C-alpha cells in the first residue's frame, strides 16, 4: 500500500508518519508533496529519502498534474499534514474515504477557514478552554468538516500560553496520527 503526504510547513507530522512506517514492507510513503518551495518538509523528505514534489497553485487547481501523479504512483491513501490549501473537488472525489487530515483542535469547535496553526491555539487560550486536542477526519468539500475518525485530548492549565498548547497538541499529533493512518490503511482490502 502506498501513502502520499501533503504538507505546507515544517513537516514534523510527515516525519513522524515516515518514521512509523520505515521498517514496514506492506506500507510505504511514496511521495511528499508541497505547495511551498520554502517548506521545511522538503529538507525532511530529503533526509528521510522520500521523493518530494513542489507544485504551484496553477498546477493544483488548473491542471490534473497532481491527480495524475497520485494515480500513476498508485497512491492508496492521501494524508494531509499541515497542508494549507483547499483540496479541489476532483481530487477529493478521486480518493473517497481515502484522504485524511489532522486538525490541531477538537472539531467541530475551532475549525474552518482561517482557524489553523497558531490562531487555533490563541483562540483556545482566549476562551479559557480546560482542554484542547486533535481531530483526524476524512476530507470532504467543506473545510474541516469531513467525518471524524479519531480525537484525542490534552488538559490545559490557566497559565498555558498558545505555545504551551501547541506543544501539547503537537505531541498528540505525533503520537496518534501515524497509528490512526496505520489502522486505516491496514483495513484497505483491495
Ligand atoms: C500541525 O499542527 C497540524 O495539526 C496543522 O498544521 C501543523 C503542521 O505541523 N494542520 P507540521 O508541519 O507537521 O510540523
Amino acid at each position: 500500500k502506498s501513502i502520499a503526504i501533503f504538507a505546507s510547513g515544517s513537516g514534523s507530522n510527515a516525519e513522524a508518519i515516515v518514521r512509523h512506517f520505515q521498517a514496514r514492507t506492506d506500507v510505504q510513503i511514496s511521495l511528499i508533496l508541497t505547495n511551498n518551495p520554502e517548506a521545511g518538509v522538503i529538507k525532511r523528505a530529503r533526509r528521510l529519502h522520500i521523493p518530494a514534489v513542489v507544485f504551484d497553485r496553477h498546477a493544483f487547481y488548473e491542471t490534473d498534474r497532481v491527480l495524475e501523479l497520485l494515480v500513476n504512483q498508485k497512491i492508496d491513501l492521501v494524508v494531509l499534514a499541515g497542508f494549507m490549501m483547499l483540496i479541489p473537488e476532483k481530487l477529493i472525489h478521486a480518493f473517497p474515504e481515502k484522504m485524511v487530515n489532522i486538525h490541531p483542535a477538537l472539531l467541530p469547535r475551532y475549525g474552518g477557514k482561517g482557524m489553523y496553526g497558531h490562531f487555533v491555539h490563541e483562540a483556545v487560550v482566549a476562551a479559557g478552554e480546560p482542554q484542547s486536542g486533535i481531530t483526524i477526519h476524512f476530507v470532504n468539500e467543506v473545510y474541516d468538516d469531513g467525518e471524524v475518525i479519531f480525537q484525542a485530548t490534552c488538559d490545559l492549565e490557566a497559565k498555558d500560553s498558545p505555545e504551551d498548547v501547541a506543544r501539547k497538541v503537537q505531541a498528540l499529533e505525533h503520537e496518534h496520527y501515524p497509528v490512526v493512518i496505520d489502522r486505516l490503511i491496514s483495513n484497505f482490502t483491495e
Side-chain angles (χ1 to χ4, degrees):
K1 293 277 176 270
S2 296
I3 294 172
I5 303 175
F6 283 74
S8 302
S10 153
S12 71
N13 277 287
E15 174 149 5
I17 295 162
V18 168
R19 291 192 181 286
H20 175 86
F21 288 102
Q22 216 137 31
R24 296 274 288 278
T25 54
D26 59 328
V27 178
Q28 63 168 22
I29 312 301
S30 305
L31 216 46
I32 289 179
L33 301 99
T34 185
N35 59 309
N36 172 6
E38 310 299 316
V41 72
I42 297 172
K43 278 191 278 305
R44 291 183 196 261
R46 198 171 299 131
R47 203 175 56 243
L48 295 161
H49 309 298
I50 306 285
V53 171
V54 182
F55 58 81
D56 64 16
R57 290 187 75 73
H58 174 74
F60 199 51
Y61 290 120
E62 265 76 59
T63 71
D64 291 343
R65 272 216 293 282
V66 172
L67 175 56
E68 282 158 7
L69 177 60
L70 297 174
V71 173
N72 294 343
Q73 292 280 316
K74 297 187 177 24
I75 297 300
D76 299 293
L77 180 67
V78 174
V79 172
L80 309 185
F83 187 61
M84 288 302 149
M85 294 172 83
L86 207 53
I87 307 294
E89 287 203 11
K90 192 185 284 189
L91 200 50
I92 294 173
H93 295 153
F95 291 90
E97 310 294 294
K98 297 194 170 184
M99 184 182 290
V100 294
N101 180 44
I102 188 164
H103 183 73
L106 297 170
L107 292 178
R109 303 191 58 204
Y110 303 105
K113 202 81 183 106
M115 280 308 267
Y116 56 82
H118 209 75
F119 299 114
V120 175
H121 307 312
E122 282 172 355
V124 164
V125 167
E129 294 288 351
Q131 283 190 321
S132 190
I134 60 170
T135 303
I136 298 169
H137 61 93
F138 286 113
V139 173
N140 67 16
E141 295 75 7
V142 180
Y143 214 75
D144 284 343
D145 173 69
E147 178 198 347
V148 173
I149 301 168
F150 176 86
Q151 289 191 306
T153 64
C154 53
D155 292 335
L156 303 183
E157 294 158 48
K159 66 174 178 42
D160 278 341
S161 68
E163 290 70 27
D164 295 322
V165 178
R167 201 175 47 256
K168 291 179 179 179
V169 168
Q170 279 254 314
L172 289 177
E173 294 174 344
H174 298 167
E175 177 188 354
H176 293 290
Y177 208 8
V179 174
V180 168
I181 289 164
D182 198 342
R183 203 174 58 230
L184 262 180
I185 200 159
S186 304
N187 289 338
F188 284 180
T189 44
E190 76 282 348

